[in-house]
Amino acid sequence: MSFPVVVLISGSGSNLQALIDQSLAGQLNLEICAVISNKANAFGLQRAKQAGIPTHVLDHTHYSSRELFDTALQECIDAYQPKLVVLAGFMRILTEKFTRHYQGRMFNIHPSLLPKYKGLNTHARAILAKEKFHGVSVHFVSAELDAGAVIIQAKVEILSDDTPETLAQKVHKLEHIIYPQAVKWFSEGRLAIDNSGAWLDNTLLPETGFQYSSS
Ligand code: GAR
């Protein structure tokens, strides 16, 4: 039986595409039940349609409060009864009520080595701070922004000629490896979360999660 997920996007949807591609290739046993965007022009919606996945647009500007938007979003998601909600470039701050509802069954991908560089413009900030390394983290979503238990991270070295754009490209390549990996672990029942953090195969992961290495 394939594992039902709902994916939330706001933009290009390249992480969504990685999940679609790995599912088609048989590397992931997922049923992507629906893709939901808060932006009508998100390119990821076309990727979903191309793959025959139902799409929904919930434009947050049509709601008078964050609470009303999140309630509508929750109804839309829950109609599909997913076992996991995957935030893939979904650029919205979520209410505590919403995050509590999906506690332990919602992932986010964030382009930094959490707990460093929460929030926006992470690539530029890492360069400006003269960091040696930058990267990406997949984490369980908690009420606090970009602060839930980290599942997996991948690192890249920052080279002297890197710009925010070149760094973003390198990070994106790693995103497309580690996000499907985290979803695969969860779909196989290998991941869990409790008050002490994220667990993989009954082993507590460090604060920075499993460290991906290409070798
Ligand atoms: C990705 O780089 C992801 O890490 C980032 O948005 C991009 C979406 O790309 N997410 C965040 O910044 C969340 N705070 P995509 O639409 O091509 O998957």
Side-chain angles (χ1 to χ4, degrees), residues 6 10 23 60-61 75 111 117 120 131-132 135 160 165 210:
V6 167
S10 299
S23 301
H60 60 277
T61 63
E75 275 172 19
Y117 304 111
L120 298 174
E131 295 280 3
K132 278 202 161 71
S160 56
E165 291 72 30
F210 181 95

Side-chain angles (χ1 to χ4, degrees), residues 11-16 88-89 91 108-111 119 146 172 175:
S12 158
S14 69
N15 281 287
L16 164 68
M91 304 306 275
N108 183 41
I109 188 156
H110 181 73
D146 301 330
H172 247 123
E175 296 192 13

Side-chain angles (χ1 to χ4, degrees), residues 14-149:
S14 69
N15 281 287
L16 164 68
Q17 190 68 56
L19 294 172
I20 293 171
D21 291 347
Q22 292 213 12
S23 301
L24 289 174
Q27 288 154 328
L28 265 177
N29 190 18
L30 288 192
E31 183 199 353
I32 304 177
C33 309
V35 169
I36 306 172
S37 173
N38 64 317
K39 300 235 166 121
N41 62 356
F43 181 66
L45 290 168
Q46 292 182 40
R47 297 181 192 267
K49 284 181 190 144
Q50 183 80 27
I53 300 167
T55 59
H56 297 270
V57 175
L58 262 72
D59 184 339
H60 60 277
T61 63
H62 295 173
Y63 295 82
S64 58
S65 71
R66 205 174 276 286
E67 286 70 23
L68 284 174
F69 174 74
D70 279 7
T71 301
L73 184 58
Q74 187 176 314
E75 275 172 19
C76 188
I77 295 169
D78 287 353
Y80 291 95
Q81 300 191 302
K83 291 195 174 145
L84 179 69
V85 177
V86 177
L87 307 185
F90 187 62
M91 304 306 275
R92 292 278 309 162
I93 291 175
L94 301 163
T95 56
E96 192 182 339
K97 188 170 168 230
F98 184 87
T99 56
R100 227 184 304 119
H101 181 71
Y102 296 107
Q103 179 129 33
R105 54 191 183 107
M106 181 157 65
F107 286 0
N108 183 41
I109 188 156
H110 181 73
S112 80
L113 297 172
L114 290 173
K116 285 183 168 180
Y117 304 111
K118 297 171 181 173
L120 298 174
N121 304 320
T122 58
H123 311 298
R125 285 159 62 207
I127 292 174
L128 200 64
K130 301 201 182 323
E131 295 280 3
K132 278 202 161 71
F133 292 96
H134 184 51
V136 55
S137 310
V138 174
H139 63 94
F140 281 101
V141 175
S142 66
E144 202 187 323
L145 182 71
D146 301 330

